[in-house]
Amino acid sequence: MATTAELFEEPFVADEYIERLVWRTPGGGSRGGPEAFDPKRLLEEFINHIQELQLMDERIQRKVEKLEQQCQKEAKEFAKKVQELQKSNQVAFQHFQELDEHISYVATKVCHLGDQLEGVNTPRQRAVEAQKLMKYFNEFLDGELKSDVFTNSEKIKEAADIIQKLHLIAQELPFDRFSEVKSKIASKYHDLECQLIQEFTSAQRRGEISRMREVAAVLLHFKGYSHCVDVYIKQCQEGAYLRNDIFEDAAILCQRVNKQVGDIFSNPETVLAKLIQNVFEIKLQSFVKDQLEECRKSDAEQYLKNLYDLYIQDLKERIRQRTNLPLGPSIDTHGETFLSQEVVVNLLQETKQAFERCHRLSDPSDLPRNAFRIFTILVEFLCIEHIDYALETGLAGIPSSDSRNANLYFLDVVQQANTIFHLFDKQFNDHLMPLISSSPKLSECLQKKKEIIEQMETKLDTGIDRTLNCMIGQMKHILASEQKKTDFKPEDENNVLIQYTNACVKVCAYVRKQVEKIKNSMDGKNVDTVLMELGVRFHRLIYEHLQQYSYSCMGGMLAICDVAEYRKCAKDFKIPMVLHLFDTLHALCNLLVVAPDNLKQVCSGEQLANLDKNILHSFVQLRADYRSARLARHFS
């Protein structure tokens, strides 16, 4: 048997290998019986095979040694290459560091140069602009407008900007010396204003929204801007009243304008409110008057019926539903909730007695049907006529978010409605369920109850959302009227005695009062849900408010004190997320006072590390020393 390395590949079994060798050796196996067995021949074969194995072992050993030497050689070469690459990498890294330092140096120089250029360029631009205005003023003084900007109709936008500035300048000039030129500027001002309004009108007829937006933006600084709005309102009503239902036409008109007005005007709510007022005063007043005058004297009952059908609140509610705009209160409830626990208790007592009579007097087969009829009557008069009416009236009485010193009575409605509905639910379980529990009427009653609950929850959610908007609007009004720019940039840095600003004190007092009111008006998880929403909106308001000011070092400290007070106020919410938001805001305010060299370290702190870099940068930009200390380099 030829000896090769392949014979020893795994799985190798020595016994089987000997057996195969013996079997292949003549006279070595059991073939031919005991007489054919030749031990000498077998011994000779073993000796020869052992010699072959030894030779093969020597060959393999030499091959292994050769491969080991080759492997060692390649390992040395590889290690040498790795060392060379490491040296190259170190050199490249060193070059990179030098380049990075050089780039930082150049960037710092560029920033410094940019600041210097800006410092030079800004006065230069103002001087150039003043020179141009003087040139245009001289043209009016000479009585001949030669500049292309006044003679080229395509440059009406540039002409409007110039004439608007000249008009402001002319207001300051003495009348006796400059009466003629003032008159010419005023005349040109009026002509351009008329041209712009005409251009806006033409663009509206062509349906060119982008052109309308462009012209409206130019007219915004002119006295005739309100006339532009009037033109828009007049034209958008053309062809709007085609149906028999003028209320539906008006609601559809407001819905259509609501989608468009935000793309044209910078103050869409004001324009839409003016449209609605126009619709009421011009279209609806005459329509209602005509409808009522027909039967005012002849048929008093029909007159009252018509008055009910034409109740104007119906239109306002349609507009609210279609446009989701706060149109202001249509009625003043004077704090009245229009809910009476005495009335409710009497209704439930009457219904309880009705259920008892029904149980005693009805045949077993008629009992579920009769109980269901009683339940239907209770739902109609208690849930719809009483609770739902109070919710509708409460919704109508919620002020708009920009109202001043608004009284928010809707939370009182929420509190009383919840109490009444708990009583209604108790009677449902205690007196109605036993009468219908084993009949098909049970599913009908449960479905009707579910529908009523969903209907009320929708109105409660809407009312609470609008109430929260009013709260935020009131806070915004306090901040706008009480906060002064000098609060955060005092003239005398060394003489600031107050711990926090007056605006902060008033806002915190208002918030604490509203939080207490919410806790008293609701129960369970509803309190946490509403306080969470109020807290998030409160945080957003303060965050956006702080972004409006520039802060000196002492002003930054005062801002931190204000936010600390706001955070103390947020603790009253007992909502972890709200407190976390104010903790983060407090950490952000530290960026207003930290030393420039420590800025990067503070930005990578625990509370700020996860915030977007742009948010951190936006706060640092509020510092009065942002340019002088070249703080932008920390964010480049």
Side-chain angles (χ1 to χ4, degrees):
M1 181 172 72
T3 305
T4 61
E6 286 77 10
L7 294 172
F8 297 93
E9 291 180 353
E10 293 294 337
F12 175 76
V13 181
D15 291 345
E16 290 181 2
Y17 182 79
I18 298 297
E19 284 292 336
R20 287 200 303 274
L21 179 62
V22 171
W23 185 76
R24 292 183 180 185
T25 303
S30 59
R31 287 180 298 177
E35 296 82 6
F37 179 69
D38 187 353
K40 290 182 179 179
R41 184 76 180 269
L42 184 60
L43 176 62
E44 185 181 341
E45 182 64 29
F46 278 172
I47 291 170
N48 292 335
H49 199 74
I50 288 170
Q51 290 175 348
E52 289 178 7
L53 287 174
Q54 287 174 340
L55 291 172
M56 187 178 71
D57 180 58
E58 291 173 0
R59 283 198 310 273
I60 291 173
Q61 189 61 36
R62 286 195 297 272
K63 192 174 181 179
V64 168
E65 289 174 356
K66 186 179 179 181
L67 288 171
E68 284 179 346
Q69 290 173 358
Q70 187 178 350
C71 183
Q72 288 174 357
K73 183 181 177 182
E74 289 181 358
K76 288 179 182 178
E77 291 176 356
F78 182 75
K80 187 178 179 182
K81 285 183 180 179
V82 169
Q83 286 178 348
E84 290 174 355
L85 288 171
Q86 284 179 334
K87 289 179 182 177
S88 300
N89 186 49
Q90 285 177 348
V91 172
F93 184 71
Q94 187 175 355
H95 287 322
F96 177 78
Q97 280 186 319
E98 291 173 359
L99 185 62
D100 185 49
E101 289 173 2
H102 189 63
I103 289 172
S104 298
Y105 175 76
V106 172
T108 304
K109 288 289 184 183
V110 168
C111 288
H112 181 61
L113 185 61
D115 291 340
Q116 287 182 323
L117 286 173
E118 188 176 355
V120 173
N121 192 47
T122 302
R124 180 180 172 278
Q125 282 182 329
R126 288 176 184 164
V128 170
E129 201 168 315
Q131 185 184 21
K132 286 182 180 178
L133 287 174
M134 289 167 66
K135 175 191 166 188
Y136 297 132
F137 186 83
N138 282 335
E139 290 186 17
F140 280 98
L141 202 60
D142 296 338
E144 186 178 358
L145 301 178
K146 300 175 183 178
S147 298
D148 182 52
V149 72
F150 292 125
T151 56
N152 190 344
S153 59
E154 293 182 359
K155 294 187 176 181
I156 188 171
K157 185 178 177 182
E158 292 87 341
D161 181 55
I162 292 165
I163 201 69
Q164 197 264 338
K165 291 175 181 176
L166 289 175
H167 188 261
L168 291 174
I169 293 169
Q171 304 290 324
E172 306 297 325
L173 298 176
F175 184 79
D176 53 346
R177 290 179 57 196
F178 295 96
S179 58
E180 186 178 350
V181 71
K182 289 179 75 169
S183 175
K184 290 176 183 177
I185 291 174
S187 175
K188 189 63 178 177
Y189 180 93
H190 179 70
D191 291 343
L192 278 172
E193 195 174 57
C194 292
Q195 288 179 44
L196 286 167
I197 292 172
Q198 185 59 43
E199 178 62 25
F200 182 88
T201 306
S202 302
Q204 186 176 1
R205 288 194 177 123
R206 295 192 301 268
E208 296 178 1
I209 300 296
S210 59
R211 182 59 179 161
M212 291 168 67
R213 179 172 59 249
E214 187 180 339
V215 176
V218 176
L219 276 168
L220 183 62
H221 306 291
F222 280 76
K223 295 178 181 177
Y225 178 70
S226 59
H227 185 54
C228 171
V229 174
D230 293 338
V231 167
Y232 174 78
I233 288 172
K234 181 181 177 182
Q235 285 200 174
C236 69
Q237 292 185 73
E238 292 177 0
Y241 304 101
L242 302 175
R243 299 173 181 78
N244 292 328
D245 187 352
I246 190 172
F247 294 100
E248 185 65 17
D249 283 336
I252 291 171
L253 169 66
C254 292
Q255 184 182 22
R256 174 169 58 82
V257 172
N258 181 53
K259 292 177 180 177
Q260 184 186 78
V261 73
D263 296 331
I264 300 171
F265 298 99
S266 59
N267 53 341
E269 293 88 357
T270 305
V271 176
L272 193 56
K274 197 168 184 179
L275 168 66
I276 294 168
Q277 184 180 1
N278 184 277
V279 171
F280 270 94
E281 291 177 354
I282 295 179
K283 288 291 180 183
L284 295 183
Q285 270 190 350
S286 59
F287 175 78
V288 170
K289 186 177 179 181
D290 293 344
Q291 293 290 313
L292 295 178
E293 285 296 330
E294 292 179 4
C295 52
R296 183 167 188 169
K297 295 179 180 178
S298 58
D299 191 341
E301 184 179 348
Q302 186 62 37
Y303 171 79
L304 292 173
K305 185 176 181 301
N306 288 351
L307 180 61
Y308 177 80
D309 291 339
L310 295 169
Y311 185 44
I312 302 303
Q313 171 59 28
D314 178 54
L315 175 62
K316 271 204 170 180
E317 192 54 39
R318 289 194 212 181
I319 294 171
R320 272 200 186 97
Q321 291 170 358
R322 290 170 183 266
T323 63
N324 197 29
L325 277 176
L327 303 178
S330 54
I331 57 174
D332 186 356
T333 60
H334 300 288
E336 176 60 59
T337 63
F338 296 96
L339 288 170
S340 167
Q341 286 202 1
E342 183 181 351
V343 170
V344 172
V345 169
N346 289 337
L347 279 172
L348 292 175
Q349 186 63 30
E350 290 286 343
T351 310
K352 177 184 174 183
Q353 294 172 4
F355 282 135
E356 290 174 354
R357 289 194 297 271
C358 174
H359 187 211
R360 291 178 182 277
L361 301 176
S362 297
D363 289 332
S365 58
D366 295 334
L367 178 59
R369 186 174 68 254
N370 292 339
F372 178 73
R373 289 176 64 188
I374 295 170
F375 174 68
T376 304
I377 293 170
L378 177 63
V379 167
E380 176 67 26
F381 288 97
L382 176 62
C383 297
I384 297 175
E385 293 292 331
H386 194 62
I387 303 177
D388 192 65
Y389 172 77
L391 291 177
E392 286 285 354
T393 309
L395 281 171
I398 297 174
S400 62
S401 59
D402 57 354
S403 298
R404 302 289 175 260
N405 302 315
N407 291 314
L408 304 176
Y409 298 115
F410 190 78
L411 292 177
D412 297 331
V413 178
V414 173
Q415 180 186 16
Q416 293 186 30
N418 279 334
T419 303
I420 292 169
F421 199 81
H422 284 319
L423 295 173
F424 167 77
D425 191 49
K426 187 175 187 306
Q427 184 169 88
F428 181 92
N429 294 324
D430 293 350
H431 299 101
L432 177 61
M433 285 289 286
L435 306 182
I436 60 172
S437 58
S438 57
S439 77
K441 289 293 179 184
L442 174 61
S443 61
E444 288 186 49
C445 289
L446 290 172
Q447 180 62 29
K448 196 168 187 67
K449 179 186 169 188
K450 181 185 175 185
E451 290 172 359
I452 287 293
I453 291 174
E454 289 176 351
Q455 180 182 340
M456 290 186 179
E457 283 181 346
T458 300
K459 291 181 180 179
L460 287 169
D461 289 345
T462 302
I464 290 169
D465 181 66
R466 289 186 194 167
T467 301
L468 294 181
N469 282 339
C470 289
M471 291 178 183
I472 297 300
Q474 188 64 26
M475 293 181 221
K476 192 179 292 186
H477 172 63
I478 294 171
L479 290 170
S481 57
E482 298 292 335
Q483 197 87 74
K484 299 175 179 60
K485 288 188 177 181
T486 53
D487 287 346
F488 301 121
K489 213 171 180 182
E491 295 177 3
D492 186 357
E493 290 277 320
N494 300 317
N495 195 26
V496 179
L497 302 177
I498 58 174
Q499 293 182 331
Y500 28 75
T501 65
N502 192 44
C504 172
V505 174
K506 290 194 175 182
V507 167
C508 288
Y510 180 80
V511 171
R512 288 190 175 99
K513 182 180 177 183
Q514 301 312 314
V515 169
E516 190 63 30
K517 196 166 189 177
I518 289 171
K519 288 180 178 179
N520 292 336
S521 302
M522 299 174 200
D523 52 18
K525 292 183 179 179
N526 293 331
V527 177
D528 291 344
T529 303
V530 175
L531 286 178
M532 163 85 84
E533 184 61 30
L534 177 61
V536 170
R537 296 187 193 188
F538 175 38
H539 168 266
R540 189 186 307 128
L541 173 68
I542 300 302
Y543 177 87
E544 291 174 354
H545 174 71
L546 292 172
Q547 294 275 330
Q548 300 174 21
Y549 298 93
S550 176
Y551 299 85
S552 64
C553 183
M554 188 54 67
M557 291 297 297
L558 198 56
I560 291 174
C561 293
D562 272 9
V563 173
E565 193 66 18
Y566 292 134
R567 183 173 59 175
K568 193 185 298 182
C569 185
K571 286 182 181 178
D572 295 343
F573 287 61
K574 292 184 170 57
I575 305 294
M577 180 183 170
V578 175
L579 187 57
H580 173 71
L581 287 173
F582 278 94
D583 284 341
T584 305
L585 184 59
H586 188 267
L588 277 171
C589 286
N590 287 328
L591 300 177
L592 301 173
V593 298
V594 69
D597 293 340
N598 299 332
L599 195 59
K600 217 163 193 176
Q601 182 183 351
V602 174
C603 287
S604 57
E606 183 180 350
Q607 286 185 306
L608 301 180
N610 296 325
L611 287 183
D612 188 279
K613 195 174 181 180
N614 293 327
I615 295 175
L616 302 177
H617 193 189
S618 68
F619 255 82
V620 174
Q621 284 178 311
L622 302 176
R623 292 174 57 137
D625 63 348
Y626 176 73
R627 291 189 181 281
S628 60
R630 299 197 296 278
L631 301 181
R633 59 194 165 91
H634 295 292
F635 299 93
S636 57

